[in-house]
Structures are given as structure tokens and as C-alpha cells.
Amino acid sequence: SVQRAHQNTLEVLPLVLIQVCTAGLVYPRTAAAFGGIWVLGRFLYGYGYAKGGPKGRMAGGILSNLGSFPLFFITVKIAYDFLSK
């Protein structure tokens, strides 16, 4: 149901927001672009879940991961660079 898709989004939202904010300190445009991809993916995730059930969420899940995974790696790179100084 749509409620489950909403709950899934709320579960990962704090982590993604932290990553967007952290990445945005050094790479603001890149962070904004990947954050936007994540938002679009979560929208498609919820829409797909509502229309097609659990199998309908696949495209949105993939797209949101294409937004969140790069944010994670950028955040790790920033932390590494900071700790290497």
C-alpha cells in the first residue's frame, strides 16, 4: 500500500538528508542533482507501489538508489579527505 511506501521513505530520509547536507558543503551542485534524483525515485517508488503493489516499486527503488549511493560515496570521500589532513 501507499502507506508502506511512505514508511519506507521515512526510514531512509534522515540518512539521505545528512548525506545531501554533508556532500553539499563541498559539492553543492552534485549533491543537489543526486538529491533530486533520489526525490524523483521516491515519488516513482510510491506511485509504482500504489498502482502495482510491491512489484511496481522496482523502477522507483532503482532510481532512488542511483541518487543515494553516489551521495554515500561522496560523503565517505569527504570524511576521508578531512581525516587525511
Side-chain angles (χ1 to χ4, degrees):
S1 77
V2 178
Q3 290 175 331
R4 185 67 202 140
H6 183 254
Q7 184 61 38
N8 290 144
T9 300
L10 291 179
E11 289 169 1
V12 297
L13 181 63
L15 297 173
V16 172
L17 287 177
I18 289 169
Q19 292 170 354
V20 168
C21 290
T22 303
L25 293 173
V26 180
Y27 306 104
R29 291 183 181 171
T30 304
F34 285 123
I37 290 169
W38 182 82
V39 169
L40 179 62
R42 295 318 291 187
F43 175 78
L44 293 175
Y45 181 88
Y47 184 79
Y49 212 147
K51 295 297 179 184
K55 292 185 180 189
R57 63 187 172 165
M58 188 65 67
I62 291 170
L63 187 60
S64 64
N65 284 332
L66 289 175
S68 65
F69 284 163
L71 288 170
F72 172 76
F73 291 119
I74 292 169
T75 302
V76 169
K77 181 195 179 307
I78 291 169
Y80 177 80
D81 291 344
F82 178 75
L83 294 173
S84 296
K85 290 183 180 180

